[in-house]
């Protein structure tokens, strides 16, 4: 990889992946709405509001690949979601089209399917059932990516990221945990594949308990190596008591599914 | 039905359905961004820009049902689609939630699935493959409706309308034609059903050639009565020459699938 | 048909079908736990408690076909269901095996699948989700019939009867109605078919609204001719008000799904 | 249609369809290994052994469409099947490729799927289970057609013809009967369709009993109008006695499935 | 776990699991129709005939969980099956409902699906095809459990146990073997899961050859660790000769599928 | 195994497997159209042109098993394919039938499905889409094997071999590589299985990237042990540049899908 654009570089995923991808790209062009100032030698930073078409257009120019972590990453007001995730994702894909970027890694979310029950095993063909406006906006991004693939041939990995933290923060994350190492490996595999198409991938490690089946993405060759099982005896995961009839337990989206409307 | 809101009342569907639904509702509250002035006794008109949250909120107040025809109805600039279809549909559902409207008829579009090939029979579970930004925005509306159903219990008919005109305008519409009478009957069936859920329905008459299967909506009891077969010997449908390899023929969306980007 | 046994001859289905099948069999051997005394010339009556293995064994002797309407036909105590439907159906199949009856028409029930939601279209391969002990017992009967087919070659029609009355008694039955004529025709088709196998058939007329798809039984050649649509404008069906979130409306089984435990 | 080639013109299907298609093509070029001499004004005849690559190549030259009825039409020696159906079909498709014929109507056969049980409803995606060498050869033809479509863009209708006779000759044909009028209409629909792809179509009328579902071919717009039900009370269909466990009754292929090897 | 009831404690599974679960529950209440007298400190014993509603009702009182191994565990007379498995399972679920037990581990059996062919890979959605009255009775238990879940919210693991022995006893068990350690782990996982629903699980170790796919139960997080492959070179497994056309080899149920009726 | 016939013994697969299977059969009867002269003690050689029915008939006599590697193994003229693969495979199965050979290992090819896209995960039920005349001929062989199973009970493993070489020769083979050890183990497993039926198996090692799912063949107990991942850092695999829109990259068949007609 020569020059890779990473949006959302100041966020949780961005910070972690900068380190993991340090020796992968010749140049990593970081971008966020807030400043990133601890740049490594092969990193550059461009401040950018994804809601601005012009800013995004110039941001993308000259890049060979886009790792799109940017935008709002949890439930928020409709206005913020509209700016960061609806306009923002459109601007990214339009810029990719204009500047001939061929492949996008799009950080979608498990909240696109958060209203499926936990007993339901999902795969890439399962229906979207978002659990939040945030989830709806990520679903919009997936549809947009599919359109840009079908009409313009831009390939995308639509990665429905589970919970990417150093370790599971609660019992739900025992099923949804994605290790940082597995995410970094996925990004590399997405760009190493001869062909990507427009492919839904559940961003989840090789946990014993899972709700998601990546069979339709096996052609990419990603085999996550970590498992949340190494944490399962930790006290904070044992002691939490849950009610199976609580919507936050019944549905895959957790509290996203049980919460009321954000602005109320 | 007591008071029914119809958005997009000045548009193609709106004009036709006003007549068809004249004796169905006690009051038909018409709305559009442009004026409607030939009101019947049981009709009222409220001008409304769907992009305005406040306007939509007051528009919906006091209504028992919403027939949402409004917004942009064909490919357009992203800004227009954003205002009419993204913001607009969000404003409608938020208003429905606040004002306790229980059931929405959402005029979605076949362009949500326009990049499927014609040889592929689709049903309600088929994946969305939009053929245009317009199609993406309708897909957004469907996801939003699903979210409002799963979280707030608002039922929706997601009607992927084919081509609703007095008769098919070209060879493609022999397969996609929806008669005005069948559409009017569908609206009535949607509101007469004991339960609707959040259901995808292909808005298409009982044509001999079809790409869409409404089996998952049979519980509603809609049986379209018309068929485009009565027009199939008309000269303008016979004489048109088509190439099976033209993307406009290969894909269900027709010229939406073959056209380039709107703003280029 | 030479000699046909009809169990449950004093019940609702039995009474109706005696007339419809009058000229179909050389002899109709009627049976019930209560007396039937208005016998036609080609009818005979044998009182029989299905819970008695011996009685059923002699009842079946000499018959060429069994139309098994007998047993408990709605929710009841476990004891009554055990006697009429569990033991009763076992005794019928054991007698069929011993006396070489080759084909059984088994009156199963839609309550075998009553906990599916109304928006779910079922077919013969859908999972059983009974809504009552009665429904569980009919599911037992279907499993037993499958076992007698797989091991002993006895063919069965497992007819999940909807609501067989002269007309729909309530709004739910607009979807589940089975006309008497269509049921009689189904019985004849089941015995006229060259091969039956062990086949699930939804016993429902050609209603506009339906939850059930008989595609896997099309080889039998049954085409129901009646539709509940002829009743849909009757006032008692129009005036009933229902709540889409009431379990009796949400689930296919109606009040069977919403009722508590029978014996409480 | 300008010039249509019909192979197998002296056979059962050929004879019937010549009359039905008389006014459809400007010129009907008939071909068979045996002479056809009662030519109509718009018919020409070219004798041709399908096993000869050269003969077929010149036969096809100048034609706009091919209706390929030719070859062996029932079980036969492997040599005869090899010449008529393996070599013959290859020669037809190679000639179509060389002479730029864009669309082929290929008379395949229900015997491609004859080892499915009668209780199994088949559609275009069902696995092939041929019941004879003849059925295997027709399956070969379907694979070849798919290859010529995927690689060279030649469209084909793979019509698995049931039993095309003036009326059903036996009880099995009550399910498999294809009326001559429905076949003629299918041929016309195949060539009138804007796009055909490479599509499996079961060639069967609108019989009450059926084993085959043409849902994946509904885009073509063929709606068979005839039904074997008009014959079902004829004595010769009533009087035939069948055993449900006879392989000829159990399997869809009838006696093709129960017969031993042809050459033994 | 505080107090766990284990029925069938004197049987094969019961004996083995007592040891495996010794340190898992505060109290293990053992029950069987025959005496268990080698009690460990945290074990108690209550003799109980599952056919007695009253006995079962008092047996269950005060328990937090039920591991239901009890009843007839192989083909038997209908009377014995009726008492142990039909009445017995009903009594267990009724007692669970009355005494608010929230989760049941139900030892179902692979004989619920024993008439599927070995080439058929089954999952939780496959149709039940019991190979014996015993299998039918286990199917009844599964339907009952589903009913108690849908109506009363009692969660169940429906564990279709393969062959739980120290090692495979014959060639068939190379595919069906369930190690004692894997079974014990499954029981713990079933009770540790945040949500269970009513879930079919095939009780089988991680054997190289398998007929069953537990994909729909992956949310529970059970990963069996043992494999029958360690035994595959043992002479008694090598030397057995089998005929692929023997029903005991063709069908998954083995000799259950090939045996005649038990009472004959 | 007593006497095993291996056809195509002089070819790539044959040479490798002779060594791997050396101690497996009492006698390995090798055959090819070209001479094999480095015979091991338990090997015999019979020269045979598969196109000759008589030669094949005598070749097969006295064998207990057939490993059929013979015929044309890549795209070729139709005549060569007809002789080697169409006639040849027919002769093998006819000889198996006449000489009561019960089980055949048929070396089919991934080119039977080579026109599926790489993003499509295939299993044994996927439709055949051959990428070449060679692929069509292997599909013919599979249909023939199915016919000989359904009618005569001869069991077959239809092994769609990927790329069996000491290591992957290009980037495509990272996904399709089959190690020699895994192939040898598969042959042994096919003959060790109690029952085989007529089963499609993708002949591919346990590579990280795969397009094929062998779930329907898990009953056989084959667990490939090797993975192409050990080669993935080799320079010749890293340095190859591919275009995702090249048909040779887009389709599974690689250059078989992008090549024109062999004889042109």
């Amino acid at each position: 990889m020569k020059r890779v654009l990473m949006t959302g570089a100041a966020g949780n995923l961005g910070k972690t992946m900068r380190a993991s991808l340090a020796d992968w790209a010749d140049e990593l062009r970081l971008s966020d709405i807030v400043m990133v100032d601890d740049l490594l030698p092969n990193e550059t930073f461009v401040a950018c509001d994804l809601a601005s078409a012009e800013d995004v257009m110039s941001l993308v120019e000259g890049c060979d690949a886009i790792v799109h972590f940017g935008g709002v990453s949890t439930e928020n007001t409709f206005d913020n979601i509209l700016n960061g995730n609806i306009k923002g994702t459109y601007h990214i894909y339009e810029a990719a089209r204009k500047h001939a970027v061929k492949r996008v890694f799009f950080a979608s979310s498990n909240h696109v399917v958060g209203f499926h029950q936990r007993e339901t095993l999902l795969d890439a063909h399962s229906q979207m059932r978002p659990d939040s406006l945030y989830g709806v906006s990520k679903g919009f991004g997936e549809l947009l990516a599919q359109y840009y693939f079908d009409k313009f041939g831009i390939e995308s990995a639509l990665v429905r990221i589970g919970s990417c933290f150093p370790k599971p923060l609660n019992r739900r994350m025992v099923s949804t945990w994605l290790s940082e190492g597995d995410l970094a490996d996925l990004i590399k595999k997405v760009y190493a594949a001869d062909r990507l198409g427009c492919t839904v991938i559940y961003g989840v490690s090789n946990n014993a308990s899972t709700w998601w089946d990546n069979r339709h993405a096996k052609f990419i060759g990603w085999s996550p190596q970590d498992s949340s099982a190494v944490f399962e005896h930790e006290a904070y995961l044992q002691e939490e008591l849950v009610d199976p009839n609580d919507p936050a337990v019944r549905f895959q989206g957790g509290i996203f599914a049980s919460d009321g409307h954000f602005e109320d």
Side-chain angles (χ1 to χ4, degrees), chain A residues 141-176:
Chain A
E142 294 193 6
L143 294 180
L144 196 72
Q146 180 72 45
Y147 164 68
Y148 274 87
F149 175 66
D150 281 334
K151 187 163 273 182
F152 308 111
I154 299 173
E155 295 183 297
S156 288
L158 309 176
V159 183
R160 294 178 181 169
I161 292 175
S163 307
C164 188
F165 296 101
K167 59 185 194 175
L169 304 182
N170 54 38
R171 286 177 67 88
R172 176 177 173 273
M173 291 191 192
V174 174
S175 299
T176 62

Side-chain angles (χ1 to χ4, degrees), chain A residues 39 53 64 68 73 78 97 104 146 180 191 212 222 232:
Chain A
L39 297 179
D64 305 300
H68 182 42
S73 66
F78 182 67
R97 182 174 77 86
V104 177
Q146 180 72 45
E180 297 167 359
Y191 283 100
W212 308 321
W222 180 52
E232 74 183 351

Side-chain angles (χ1 to χ4, degrees), chain A residues 8-263:
Chain A
N12 172 38
L13 295 177
K15 276 185 225 163
T16 311
M17 288 302 108
R18 284 172 58 197
S20 302
L21 303 177
D23 56 356
W24 174 59
D26 293 345
E27 179 190 331
L28 204 52
R29 181 180 293 181
L30 307 177
S31 170
D32 207 302
I33 199 166
V34 299
M35 193 65 192
V36 171
D37 55 8
D38 56 340
L39 297 179
L40 296 173
N42 71 335
E43 292 178 336
T44 55
F45 176 77
V46 181
C48 179
D49 181 354
L50 293 168
S52 160
E54 295 72 22
D55 287 6
V56 174
M57 193 60 74
S58 64
L59 175 69
V60 167
E61 188 169 11
C63 292
D64 305 300
I66 302 175
V67 176
H68 182 42
F69 289 153
V72 171
S73 66
T74 186
E75 187 60 329
N76 209 312
T77 64
F78 182 67
D79 273 357
N80 287 342
I81 286 171
L82 192 76
N83 283 321
N85 294 9
I86 306 277
K87 291 184 188 173
T89 307
Y90 173 69
H91 294 154
I92 287 288
Y93 274 95
E94 262 301 275
R97 182 174 77 86
K98 288 275 178 62
H99 293 304
V101 179
K102 292 178 180 162
R103 198 169 279 188
V104 177
F105 182 101
F106 173 54
S108 183
S109 167
N110 71 83
H111 295 290
V112 165
V113 292
F115 257 122
H116 282 280
Q117 296 196 67
R118 294 203 183 175
E119 299 98 302
T120 306
L121 184 74
L122 304 184
D123 67 22
H125 299 165
S126 301
Q127 287 187 270
M128 291 195 257
R129 294 186 76 169
D131 57 21
S132 51
L133 293 178
Y134 166 68
V136 171
S137 74
K138 288 296 185 183
F140 166 88
E142 294 193 6
L143 294 180
L144 196 72
Q146 180 72 45
Y147 164 68
Y148 274 87
F149 175 66
D150 281 334
K151 187 163 273 182
F152 308 111
I154 299 173
E155 295 183 297
S156 288
L158 309 176
V159 183
R160 294 178 181 169
I161 292 175
S163 307
C164 188
F165 296 101
K167 59 185 194 175
L169 304 182
N170 54 38
R171 286 177 67 88
R172 176 177 173 273
M173 291 191 192
V174 174
S175 299
T176 62
W177 186 62
L178 172 65
S179 77
E180 297 167 359
D182 283 337
L183 174 56
D185 186 51
L186 174 57
I187 295 171
K188 291 173 187 169
K189 285 286 194 305
V190 158
Y191 283 100
D194 286 351
R195 182 170 168 87
L196 177 62
C198 184
T199 297
V200 168
I201 307 166
Y202 290 91
V204 68
S205 283
N206 187 27
N207 305 324
S209 162
T210 188
W211 313 327
W212 308 321
D213 182 339
N214 270 326
R215 64 203 310 270
H216 296 293
K218 289 179 77 173
F219 71 99
I220 292 171
W222 180 52
S223 300
Q225 298 298 311
D226 297 313
S227 166
S228 64
V230 300
F231 305 109
E232 74 183 351
H233 297 292
E234 297 212 8
Y236 73 100
L237 293 175
Q238 292 291 324
E239 287 159 8
E240 190 183 0
L241 287 181
V242 298
D243 168 8
N245 295 315
D246 179 352
V249 175
R250 184 172 172 198
F251 296 110
Q252 298 192 0
I255 55 170
F256 280 63
S258 58
D259 276 354
H261 199 68
F262 186 83
E263 299 182 55

